Every structure is written in C-alpha cells, then in structure tokens.
Amino acid sequence: MKPDENLPVPVLPSLDSFELEGTPDGEIITFKLAGDGSVGWSARFVQMPFLRGTDGAVHISGSCILQIDLTSVDSNQLSEIPGQPIRITPDGNASTVAEVLSYPSSDSVAQSFVGTRSRTPEVTVDTSIDIRMITVAITDELHPPAAAR
C-alpha cells in the first residue's frame, strides 16, 4: 500500500428495523439485521442511562431501565431525524414496557433503552443467525411466563 492510499471502509451489517410486540407473557423487542458480518450485543439494567460518548442522561419513562447495545452495526438509516431516537410507546398501561428509545449508531454501536413498568422485570435474549435477528423478551410479575400459569 502506498502512503497516500486509503484503506477501504468496512461495510457493517445494518439494523433494518426494530419492533415492539405485545404477547400474553409481556413484550418482545425484535431487532432485524441485514448484510454480512457479526453483530455483538449486550443487555443490562442501568440506574442512569447515558448515551454512548455523551455525558447527558437519556430521559425515558419507566421504573427500571434496560440498556441494549448492538455492536458492529449501522442503524443510521432508521432514524427520520438525524441523531434523534425512534420512540415507541405501547398503548395502555397493561404492557410490561412503558417506552422504548432506539438511537442511531455511533462508532458502530447502536443503543436502545427500554423503560419497564415493573422494578423487577425478567429479560431473555435470543439470537438467530439464520434469519438475522435478535429478540429481547421482557416479562414481569404482572405477566408471568405462560408455562408458570
């Protein structure tokens, strides 16, 4: 390689969509991916949600906040307003989830924050390589898993 040549920019998998679906057990958030390459993820409860690379708190409704980070992904095409999150608010107070905010990716990390109505939600993450999606199921004491009923 010559000193004045630039390396090709790697193409990252893209986050094509994310959806919130109510179920009899609670809610499921589905992140649908496209393209080649591996996508990493982490999910953890946080007391004070901060957007990556900033010192400003994320303002989200809920008693408990779940932070979901997807790494090595480009999600910038999802947002209609650059830099602004996509906000999903379920209808009615019967849902486990109060609000979801999904931010455009920054340095190949896309962050989403989920505010729950319960202080003790249960979270299950499932990945599917074949159909390129990550699902996050959220239940609480108001919506116990169907097997426990």
Side-chain angles (χ1 to χ4, degrees):
M1 186 166 121
K2 297 178 186 174
D4 60 342
E5 285 184 315
N6 291 327
L7 292 173
V9 176
V11 177
L12 298 172
S14 64
L15 176 60
D16 280 356
S17 68
F18 88 98
E19 302 166 356
L20 176 66
E21 177 186 359
T23 71
D25 297 334
E27 272 78 37
I28 294 177
I29 301 168
T30 303
F31 298 93
K32 294 184 180 177
L33 306 160
D36 295 328
S38 297
V39 174
W41 64 269
S42 68
R44 64 191 170 283
F45 293 107
V46 295
Q47 284 188 324
M48 181 64 78
F50 286 96
L51 190 58
R52 184 178 190 280
T54 71
D55 58 358
V58 172
H59 300 286
I60 184 166
S61 300
S63 298
C64 186
I65 308 300
L66 175 68
Q67 178 177 325
I68 304 166
D69 294 343
L70 303 180
T71 56
S72 299
V73 67
D74 178 12
S75 69
N76 292 318
Q77 73 280 2
L78 287 181
S79 183
E80 293 177 12
I81 303 170
Q84 295 299 308
I86 295 172
R87 179 183 307 268
I88 297 177
T89 306
D91 295 330
N93 290 331
S95 69
T96 303
V97 171
E99 181 175 41
V100 180
L101 297 176
S102 183
Y103 284 84
S105 56
S106 170
D107 293 328
S108 73
V109 176
Q111 288 186 299
S112 296
F113 299 91
V114 182
T116 66
R117 297 186 195 288
S118 169
R119 292 191 183 278
T120 58
E122 290 190 29
V123 175
T124 305
V125 180
D126 187 32
T127 61
S128 173
I129 296 171
D130 296 336
I131 51 178
R132 306 281 297 162
M133 72 179 184
I134 299 169
T135 58
V136 180
I138 302 172
T139 59
D140 63 24
E141 67 273 0
L142 299 176
H143 300 91
R149 292 183 198 159

